[in-house]
Amino acid sequence: MWLGRTLIRLLGPIIRFFMRVQVVGLENFPSDDTPLILCANHISNWDPVLLIVANPKRHVYFMAKAELFCNPLFSWFLGKQLGAFPVHRGTGDTGAVHIAQQLVLERKLMGIFPEGTRSKTGKLLRPKSGVALIAAKTGAYVLPAAVVTRGQKIRPFQKVKIVYGKPLSPEELHLNDAEHPDIRFAIRYIMNCIGELIETNG
């Protein structure tokens, strides 16, 4: 992944300048090796890039739609250099869930957009249950994050805020009972936290 990380170091400051990236709540990242899932809203194709350059000290391994991996060269760059991995949406992709769980258990920062697709209006869409299932299986904390900009449309030279909330524990999400995790409660709670970050930082 040396090439991808080198590009992030080189291009990160340029992207932050042109996109006027402002980072809020970086102190909310746990300082230890707590298993952690980064969970954010999804308003543009820029979101993964912005979330990666917002915190260059800790790389994010994103779950991404399988269609992005159709081109062999692009697939190599996304997978081998940026650490992204494909998920086949709408199929209950157990392979992608297994990869996500392994990353979390290895104390790598796994990133996911629970809406599963970009919101064309900027409003939060109905979420999928994947992040709650992964958190329940791994005992991970969930770090809610929000990509916030005017009109929720990403444009050059228009300020974009990357806002991190406080990490949510398995107990707070009602996922600490391995036999009976409350998946519905957890995903609603996560999305409510993301919604509050958007509302208070818009």
Side-chain angles (χ1 to χ4, degrees):
M1 292 178 59
W2 66 270
L3 177 59
R5 298 203 177 201
T6 299
L7 285 174
I8 290 169
R9 285 197 297 271
L10 292 175
L11 297 179
I14 299 173
I15 293 171
R16 290 176 64 127
F17 172 76
F18 278 101
M19 307 302 288
R20 295 187 60 199
V21 178
Q22 177 185 355
V23 183
V24 179
L26 198 58
E27 69 278 3
N28 288 325
F29 270 86
S31 57
D32 56 16
D33 63 349
T34 299
L36 190 66
I37 302 170
L38 177 64
C39 192
N41 62 316
H42 197 9
I43 59 174
S44 80
N45 289 327
W46 279 98
D47 298 340
V49 177
L50 294 171
L51 287 162
I52 288 173
V53 302
N55 181 17
K57 293 183 179 179
R58 190 163 184 187
H59 187 72
V60 189
Y61 295 76
F62 274 104
M63 180 184 286
K65 61 182 181 181
E67 293 86 343
L68 294 176
F69 294 81
C70 292
N71 180 288
L73 181 60
F74 199 43
S75 176
W76 170 81
F77 184 74
L78 281 177
K80 297 297 184 181
Q81 300 305 319
L82 293 183
F85 59 99
V87 58
H88 295 271
R89 297 177 297 178
T91 65
D93 191 344
T94 57
V97 171
H98 177 72
I99 293 172
Q101 291 175 4
Q102 287 299 115
L103 288 169
V104 174
L105 292 174
E106 291 171 6
R107 301 304 195 264
K108 294 176 179 176
L109 180 58
M110 201 278 289
I112 188 171
F113 299 107
E115 296 162 282
T117 189
R118 286 178 292 125
S119 170
K120 295 180 181 179
T121 64
K123 295 182 179 179
L124 292 176
L125 304 176
R126 184 176 180 179
K128 312 297 182 184
S129 60
V131 61
L133 290 169
I134 296 165
K137 291 287 187 180
T138 60
Y141 280 59
V142 173
L143 187 73
V147 182
V148 186
T149 188
R150 188 171 70 245
Q152 289 301 77
K153 298 290 184 183
I154 301 291
R155 298 181 180 91
F157 299 108
Q158 176 176 290
K159 185 171 68 174
V160 180
K161 284 185 181 180
I162 304 298
V163 187
Y164 299 107
K166 294 188 179 297
L168 308 173
S169 69
E171 291 79 13
E172 191 173 358
L173 294 172
H174 295 187
L175 298 176
N176 52 313
D177 184 346
E179 295 297 323
H180 303 286
D182 195 337
I183 300 298
R184 288 186 178 181
F185 175 88
I187 193 62
R188 285 198 302 267
Y189 196 94
I190 292 167
M191 295 306 291
N192 285 341
C193 289
I194 294 174
E196 289 177 3
L197 292 175
I198 295 171
E199 184 177 346
T200 57
N201 289 275

